[in-house]
Amino acid sequence: MTKLYCNNEKITVLIQDGELVSYKAYNIEIIHQKGDPGWGNSEIEMFPIIGPTKENDFTVVTPKGKAKLDQHGILRAMKYIPVISEKNKASFCKKYKANTKVKNPKYPNKSSQEWLDWPYDFEFIKTFELTDHCLKVSFKVKSEEGMPFMLGFHPAFKINGSNPEFKTKNKNISLKNILDAGSSALLVEKTKELSLKNNGELIIDIKTSNFIHIMLWTEVKNMVCIEPITFYPYSVSANDLHKGFDFMSNDQKNFEVTITPRLSS
C-alpha cells in the first residue's frame, strides 16, 4: 500500500497496486470502496479500447489485423510495476509486447474469452501527485507511431448525500439522469470539467487534459463513475468500434485528470 502525504493534513491518498483506493478530504472518503454495492473496483483505465466487445466476438479491427479484447481493453488485465515512490508522488508502469497472450481475469465467470491480445508494443505509465489542494493523475502512453488507441479513466466516487448535484459549464445533471442512461452510461459531450456536490458540504471538481468527453455511469445510488474518455463507444456498433480510434502521432501521448475537493462556502 502506498500513502501520499502533503502539507494539508486534511487530505490523504492511498494507492494499492497502482489503483487509487482512498482519497479522504476533510474527513470524508470520496472514493468508492471495494465491497460496497455498485462495482468491484475503485478505478481502472480503459485502454486501448473503451466499451464492450462481446457482440463482436471480442474482436477489434486494427491496421495490423484483428485483436481479441474484452470490455475496456487489455490494460486492466495486466499488473502495474512500481517506478517512483516519494512523499507526495507515486508512479506505476505496465509494459506490453505485441501479440502476447494475457489471461482474461473475467474468464470464465464473467466472460467466455479466455485470452486477450493486441498487435502493438506499448508502455503505459500512471503517476499520482498530491498537492495541498488536489490530486493529479497523469497517464503517459508510449508506442510506435500510428498505433490506434482509445483511453478512458474510470474512477468511482462515493455518494455521501441523498441528492448529489453534477454540474458542467452548460448543464446540471441529476443522479436520476445517470441511472436512466443504464449500462451504456450518460455522455457529457465535449466536456473537460465537471463538479460533483456530494453531501451539501463537499464539492469535487474534475478537470481533464487531452480527453474529449466525460461519461457518467452508475446502477446504484451510493456511487457514481465519472469517466474522462477520448471516445464514446456507444455511438457506434460493436463491429465499428475501431472507428473511434485515435492514432499515435509520435511515440508518446500525455493525459491528465485533476481531482480537487473543496468545502462549499
Side-chain angles (χ1 to χ4, degrees):
M1 188 78 73
T2 302
K3 185 173 183 179
L4 301 186
Y5 300 87
C6 65
N7 293 328
N8 184 353
E9 296 179 355
K10 295 181 180 179
I11 298 178
T12 60
V13 164
L14 290 177
I15 303 160
Q16 185 173 26
D17 300 325
E19 182 179 2
L20 177 64
V21 295
S22 176
Y23 187 1
K24 288 186 178 179
Y26 310 101
N27 296 316
I28 300 171
E29 176 64 70
I30 67 176
I31 297 297
H32 169 69
Q33 300 297 288
K34 296 182 181 183
D36 289 349
W39 191 42
N41 296 86
S42 297
E43 53 101 339
I44 61 167
E45 296 82 49
M46 302 175 282
F47 179 88
I49 59 100
I50 303 170
T53 56
K54 182 179 179 180
E55 291 182 9
N56 197 33
D57 191 31
F58 303 98
T59 302
V60 178
V61 177
T62 82
K64 285 190 175 184
K66 295 178 180 179
K68 285 292 186 178
L69 299 174
D70 207 333
Q71 182 167 358
H72 300 330
I74 198 171
L75 194 73
R76 66 187 299 184
M78 300 165 58
K79 291 185 178 180
Y80 273 115
I81 299 171
V83 177
I84 297 173
S85 182
E86 300 175 355
K87 176 183 176 181
N88 70 326
K89 186 176 182 180
S91 188
F92 303 84
C93 179
K94 293 182 179 183
K95 290 185 178 181
Y96 178 77
K97 183 69 175 175
N99 300 309
T100 300
K101 300 290 185 182
V102 176
K103 187 69 176 282
N104 185 0
K106 298 174 68 176
Y107 176 88
N109 294 331
K110 295 183 178 180
S111 175
S112 60
Q113 181 63 35
E114 184 175 3
W115 298 98
L116 311 177
D117 60 64
W118 181 245
Y120 299 85
D121 297 342
F122 67 77
E123 182 177 356
F124 191 94
I125 301 168
K126 179 182 185 180
T127 301
F128 300 90
E129 185 173 2
L130 183 63
T131 74
D132 289 347
H133 308 289
C134 67
L135 177 66
K136 295 179 181 179
V137 188
S138 59
F139 309 96
K140 182 183 294 183
V141 180
K142 295 182 177 182
S143 184
E144 66 186 78
E145 185 174 348
M147 185 189 83
F149 74 96
M150 306 170 200
L151 176 62
F153 182 40
H154 193 309
F157 295 89
K158 285 177 70 72
I159 294 177
N160 292 304
S162 59
N163 189 29
E165 300 175 30
F166 303 83
K167 293 186 177 182
T168 70
K169 290 182 179 180
N170 301 317
K171 63 175 65 176
N172 295 339
I173 301 164
S174 69
L175 180 60
K176 185 178 184 301
N177 295 148
I178 303 169
L179 288 165
D180 287 347
S183 61
S184 60
L186 179 69
L187 173 64
V188 189
E189 192 173 7
K190 295 181 180 178
T191 299
K192 295 182 179 292
E193 299 183 14
L194 184 144
S195 293
L196 165 59
K197 190 171 184 180
N198 204 346
N199 64 348
E201 179 183 13
L202 188 69
I203 297 173
I204 303 166
D205 294 323
I206 310 290
K207 294 185 178 181
T208 75
S209 175
N210 287 338
F211 291 95
I212 298 173
H213 315 294
I214 292 176
M215 63 181 183
L216 304 172
W217 172 82
T218 189
E219 295 179 349
V220 295
K221 294 183 178 181
N222 60 282
M223 58 142 271
V224 63
C225 293
I226 301 175
E227 307 170 41
I229 52 175
T230 59
F231 177 70
Y232 181 64
Y234 303 101
S235 62
V236 297
S237 68
N239 289 328
D240 291 331
L241 191 59
H242 62 278
K243 293 182 178 180
F245 278 136
D246 284 334
F247 295 87
M248 296 289 287
S249 54
N250 47 46
D251 62 355
Q252 180 176 306
K253 288 233 178 181
N254 298 288
F255 302 82
E256 186 176 275
V257 177
T258 301
I259 306 170
T260 305
R262 58 185 173 89
L263 295 174
S264 58
S265 55

